[in-house]
Every structure is written in C-alpha cells, then in structure tokens.
Amino acid sequence: MTQMIEIKDKSQCCGCNACVQRCPKQCIAMCEDEEGFLYPEVDEAICIDCGLCENVCPVINQADARIPLQVYAAKNTDEKIRMHSSSGGVFSILAEQTIKQGGVVFGARFDENWEVKHDYTETIDGVSVFRGSKYVQSKTGDTFKQAEQFLKQNRKVLFSGTPCQIVALKRYLKKEYENLLLVDFICHGVPSLGVWRKYLKQVIALTCDKNTVSSHLKLLLSERNALVEGISFRDKRLGWQKYSFSLTLSTTDESGNKNTVSLSESLNENLFMRGFLANLYLRPSCYACPANKGKSGSDITLGDYWGISSLMPDYDDDKGISAISVNTEKGKAVYATLNVDNRSTSYEALCQRNPSLVRACDIPKNRERFFNLWYAIDFKCVIEELTKRSLRGRIYSVVMRAIGAFFGTKGKKIIKKLLGR
C-alpha cells in the first residue's frame, strides 16, 4: 500500500528534499522546525497517495554497505587552489575536467544570506564557490530536476553532496546514467541552519564592536550597517591541521567611511565549531546515518586524510591532503585520468583515521539541553557551558599528545586500551 511521507520520528528524515522534487502534485513543502532543521510537510488535500515520495527517500530505502576499490592520499599540484580548498584540492580537478568536457558541476555554495544551497556551474571560474567546507546543511532546491535535464541532454554531470544527498539523487533519477559522476564526502554530520543563523548574527555584532581589521563577503545587517564579505570555515593561514574559522566584513560609519573588520579563531576557540565538533546541534538523522559505510552509491568519496602525518610523515606538508575512496569502475576510470600527486593507502588505515566513514557519531548528553536554551540564552554562554572540558579531560589530552609525540600512534593505542577508551 502506497502512502505519503509522514515524519513521526525526526531521525528518519535527512532533509534531502528528494520527496519535494519528485511529488507530481507539488503538495510537499520543507518547513523549519524549532531546532532550525527542514522537514517535509504534506498538503493532504492535494496528495494522491502515489507513494513516489517514499520511493525516493534515502532513509526508507537504504543500500548495502560497500568497500572501495581503491584508496589514496592525494593533493592538487596547483598550490594556490590547494590553499583555497579545505583539504587537498582534488574536487577542483574533477570539476574542471568535467567542465572542459562540456559538462556541468553541481555543488554547495553560500547564498546572499550566507546560508548554504546547492547550485550548478558550467564555467571553470564558477567552480570556486563550491570549494571549501560549509558546515551547514545545504538546501538542494530543484537541483535534482536540473541534473536530470542535463543528463537527458547527454551532458556530463558531476554532482557533489553529502552521502544522503547522493543516495537521494540516485533514488530520484530511478536509472543509471553513464554521463553522471557522483561525488560525496566523508561527513561528520550537518549542523542546524537555525543555529548557524543565530551564531552569525551574534558574531557579526560582536566583531563590529571589537573594530579589528582584514579582508572579503555579503549579508546586510541594517542595524549595524555591516556587509559580510567572506566566510571560511577552514582557513589554512595557520596550517591545515590547525585550521581557523574566519569572517570578514565591512562597516560604514555615520560619515560614510568604510572600515574592514575581521575575525579569525582556531577551531578550539570558535564557538560554532566547538558546538559542531561536540555534535551538539547535528541533524537527528546524522546520529543514525543512513548513507555511511559506502551506502551512498557514489563513484568517488572525498575527505581530509587526518592523521596522515603518522602514516606518511614525508608526504604531509600541512597544506592539506585529500582522502580519496574510489568506489566504482566509473570512478576508477575517471580518477585514472586526473593529474594528481597521490599515494596508495588502505581502507583500514583511512577508517582508523577518519571514523565518520563507517560510524555515525553518538548523541551527546547535552544536546537536548542545548536546544532548550539556545533561543533564550546568549549563544556564547550556552556553548561555553556545554562544551567545557573537565580538568581530567584536559590532563588526558595533554598526556596523550605527549605519548603520541614520543611513541606514535601505537603508543596511544596501548594507553587507550589500558584505560578502556
């Protein structure tokens, strides 16, 4: 018996928007809930119970786990592009090659409000907006429909997104396309749009008050007369492994003089990144990811090869190393044509250093408390309170770093085993 999408358990919806795009009656809309996440709501008066919305759902229709055909550590030989990329800059090579072949590239970009949406480009210059991590869930809009139109015109299409978005696109298309390359990334989980919106508004106000200096972005806040000119979640000025969150905006005073104001904070200092890395405001479905372990169906998976310094110390220059999982024969054929500096590695080594590939994160004990407080209390106070580390935890980190420095990864493993961690 077919039926319409009905979200009774929010962990059973990843917000991919496939049901909205597939609905023949256009009776499904995405609505933001009290946590700042989008969920489908159905106009039952129009719904014809065709069941197409459930057929495309990546949570209802989960695939089997897969092991990749090949695994590499890799980096773009163009240093400029690599420095403007989150990891090794391999996505840019894939994207540029697709466009040179007359194709179209889909990816996630900031919109005019510094929220994240999916879009496409047909030019090499247009690829730049898709570079870099954006730690907010993107709105896919009509991009599944657009991709299908290009595919039917026999255009090459590279579609990049989270693993659940890739599954959703595959379900939406209903058939395999030889001219489609699916690229996902190792996903830690997607934070709340509502939380990002509140954080951004607050941090802009605080940054304007501090009156510091720097460079580039675009969101108008009339009460402060501030124009955002650039945001980077993964600024590499301090290195790839100690990346920073950076925000640049311009302000105009009463005399019409323009000033440039900037904020740059390490991942441990930045409030939004601290909450994100503590898993405080990830989407409920991320704690039970329906698309990890290779279940997305992507041809190639990209990510950061964290811990590469312990595996290949001579290869790591702290400018960014990509982790590449080649998952299909199509992906293997495409990857073989790329001009990249790469080294072969094992899937086991990659999973050990990047567990998000195969394991969803745990729901933190403070998640419910965060969402009970986030509207009523200052964002800074909530994050500092809920991500505060105990003295014991801080001592443990210092000791483990020292052990790692002297005895390497094996020494750390032995100590963790003895401590039962």
Side-chain angles (χ1 to χ4, degrees), residues 347-360:
Y347 184 53
E348 292 73 23
L350 178 57
C351 291
Q352 181 184 2
R353 291 161 177 80
N354 225 321
S356 294
L357 255 177
V358 291
R359 190 176 73 237

Side-chain angles (χ1 to χ4, degrees), residues 13-60:
C13 173
C14 62
C16 66
N17 206 50
C19 56
V20 176
Q21 296 183 72
R22 178 47 70 198
C23 178
K25 303 300 289 184
Q26 298 183 325
C27 66
I28 308 175
M30 297 297 279
C31 301
E32 193 168 315
D33 75 347
E34 65 282 356
E35 291 186 350
F37 294 106
L38 296 172
Y39 292 91
E41 291 189 4
V42 180
D43 184 341
E44 296 182 31
I46 304 175
C47 177
I48 57 173
D49 283 331
C50 64
L52 291 177
C53 54
E54 288 203 332
N55 288 343
V56 298
C57 177
V59 177
I60 294 173

Side-chain angles (χ1 to χ4, degrees), residues 224-225 251-259:
R224 292 250 167 203
N225 200 23
T251 60
T252 306
D253 61 24
E254 294 177 357
S255 303
N257 297 316
K258 188 174 180 180
N259 300 303

Side-chain angles (χ1 to χ4, degrees), residues 135 233-245 265-268 273 276-277 306:
Y135 295 128
F233 285 99
R234 297 278 300 278
D235 192 304
K236 292 181 180 177
R237 278 178 284 186
L238 298 178
W240 166 55
Q241 297 182 53
K242 295 182 179 179
Y243 61 83
S244 304
F245 172 91
E265 296 177 318
S266 71
L267 71 159
N268 294 318
M273 292 303 296
F276 167 56
L277 294 173
W306 300 124

Side-chain angles (χ1 to χ4, degrees), residues 1 46 53 60 88 183 189 207 209 288 300 303 381 411 418:
M1 178 181 175
I46 304 175
C53 54
I60 294 173
V183 178
T207 305
D209 286 341
I300 295 174
C381 295
L418 290 173

Side-chain angles (χ1 to χ4, degrees), residues 310-328:
S310 66
L311 187 68
M312 304 175 189
D314 62 313
Y315 189 59
D316 179 27
D317 55 8
D318 202 26
K319 294 179 182 179
I321 306 293
S322 291
I324 314 291
S325 293
V326 179
N327 306 318
T328 64

Side-chain angles (χ1 to χ4, degrees), residues 15 108-109 116-118 134 136-140 162 165 190:
R109 59 170 295 168
V116 183
K117 70 172 187 178
H118 255 68
K134 299 162 185 76
V136 189
Q137 184 165 24
S138 67
K139 300 174 186 176
T140 57
T162 62
Q165 288 171 338
V190 290

